[in-house]
Amino acid sequence: MIRVRRLRRQFALALACVPLMALLAPASRAESGDWPQRPIRLLVPYGPGGSSDVVARAVAVEMSRDLGKQVIVENKGGGQGMIATVEAARAAPDGYTLILGHVGTLAVNPSMVAKLPYDPRRDFAPIVLLAKLPMVFAVGGKVQASTLPEFVALARARPGALNYGSAGNGSAGHLAFEMLKTATGIDVVHVPYKGTGAQVTDLLAGNIDAAAAGTPGLLPHAQAGKIRIVAVGSERRLPVLPDVPTVAEQGYPGFESSQWFGLLAPAGTPAPVIERLHQAALKALQTDSVRERLAHDASEASGAGPAEFAAFIDAEEKRWGQVVRSARLSAE
């Protein structure tokens, strides 16, 4: 009888351990070096056609080759990038769901959104800072301005009559133009879109007067003569736009505005998986295809690892938080 009771207790203990063992199994497999066993999702928090999409797809192709499993890019725009970012934050921490971190979602939203449904520090494990991309400022073909001073003069003569588009509230283009408005003292109305592609379509159609974005979305149309880039937000002129002065050169010293992109995983993702992804991303950044893509778009490759990327996010959140407060921006 005593033996039967002992066996029952041992059986009950074994059953109680099953859920725990089931939960630990995926992490154990990931840490054993067998990862990855299936395709990896890379969520992009903005629509197709913009700088985020271009960088994500270029890097994903090369990472797929190195990892031996496809890295599939999924665009999920809207909600100031929060839709995709929240999904990534709630995903299983197994390395099979990644998010393309962006200045808007990680550095701007914390100051702009009153009840942010994710925490950039608590909910994510930084992997690598991929690249930085200077912002450029463009006007549509119908706007009678070829330089930044001409656009500023036009805006000052008609306060509130001109508008500009961005990839959405809290996007890099939104903050860059608000920074420009503060520097120049102009009154230009913001028109948010769900991604750079939709914004550029309306700029080409003449439905908006101006826009701020990275070079991938605007440069081809400027080269075709359909729009005009009147200034770049970097500290120095861009090799792809040698004749376009910086904002600082055109009368506003100290002005600098760039967006950036990096990879993050849900918090709790095993350290060996984070390191494997970091190494795969570094190799991708060193390939000719990614180098050429970034150079074409005037992007600067980084490669900063988890700790350095985390510190960079903290510094950027402070910097852009000041812009949000100065311009009195909110998500409402």
Side-chain angles (χ1 to χ4, degrees):
M1 190 67 176
I2 294 175
R3 183 180 180 184
V4 171
R5 290 175 180 173
R6 185 182 299 114
L7 289 173
R8 286 176 178 172
R9 284 198 299 269
Q10 291 174 346
F11 182 68
L13 287 171
L15 286 177
C17 290
V18 168
L20 178 60
M21 294 174 64
L23 288 172
L24 292 176
S28 300
R29 286 196 295 270
E31 292 173 357
S32 71
D34 295 335
W35 184 93
Q37 293 293 312
R38 63 178 188 271
I40 300 162
R41 302 166 65 220
L42 172 53
L43 301 178
V44 176
Y46 300 104
S51 305
S52 300
D53 185 52
V54 170
V55 171
R57 292 183 184 279
V59 171
V61 169
E62 297 300 335
M63 287 184 67
S64 297
R65 293 193 176 105
D66 184 69
L67 294 170
K69 296 294 179 181
Q70 188 176 6
V71 179
I72 303 172
V73 174
E74 294 184 19
N75 296 90
K76 292 198 172 185
Q80 293 183 225
M82 290 188 287
I83 294 174
T85 307
V86 169
E87 181 175 340
R90 296 175 179 173
D94 54 13
Y96 291 105
T97 300
L98 308 178
I99 183 72
L100 187 79
H102 182 263
V103 59
T105 55
L106 301 179
V108 174
N109 281 356
S111 296
M112 196 167 174
V113 180
K115 295 182 179 179
L116 195 64
Y118 60 87
D119 187 312
R121 294 179 179 85
R122 183 192 63 219
D123 294 336
F124 297 101
I127 299 170
V128 59
L129 176 62
L130 294 172
K132 299 178 183 179
L133 176 64
M135 301 301 295
V136 297
F137 300 89
V139 298
K142 297 178 182 179
V143 177
Q144 300 300 308
S146 298
T147 65
L148 180 60
E150 290 178 358
F151 178 75
V152 170
L154 191 64
R156 286 177 176 168
R158 302 168 55 196
L162 300 181
N163 58 34
Y164 77 92
S166 79
N169 283 322
S171 67
H174 181 199
L175 271 291
F177 220 107
E178 289 300 321
M179 182 184 285
L180 183 69
K181 287 170 59 177
T182 299
T184 60
I186 58 176
D187 179 11
V188 184
V189 179
H190 177 222
V191 181
Y193 289 86
K194 290 184 178 181
T196 302
Q199 163 200 1
V200 173
T201 297
D202 264 13
L203 181 65
L204 294 171
N207 296 326
I208 54 175
D209 302 304
T215 53
L218 297 175
L219 184 58
H221 304 294
Q223 292 172 333
K226 297 179 180 179
I227 60 175
R228 291 183 297 280
I229 296 177
V230 298
V232 297
S234 53
E235 295 178 337
R236 297 176 297 275
R237 295 194 186 193
L238 303 181
V240 294
L241 292 166
D243 298 326
V244 179
T246 66
V247 174
E249 284 183 280
Q250 298 185 75
Y252 307 97
F255 187 98
E256 193 278 326
S257 178
S258 299
Q259 58 179 313
W260 44 263
F261 318 92
L263 294 180
L264 302 96
T269 300
V273 174
I274 296 293
E275 181 57 25
R276 181 72 180 91
L277 287 164
H278 179 210
Q279 293 304 318
L282 287 180
K283 290 181 181 178
L285 291 174
Q286 294 167 3
T287 60
D288 290 341
S289 63
V290 174
R291 284 177 178 269
E292 291 171 4
R293 177 73 260 185
L294 294 180
H296 179 271
D297 297 332
S299 297
E300 177 187 356
S302 174
E308 190 177 352
F309 186 22
F312 176 80
I313 293 171
D314 287 344
E316 283 289 279
E317 183 179 336
K318 292 177 182 177
R319 186 167 85 93
W320 286 106
Q322 292 176 349
V323 175
V324 170
R325 291 186 289 272
S326 176
R328 297 181 180 179
L329 303 178
S330 71
E332 300 302 326

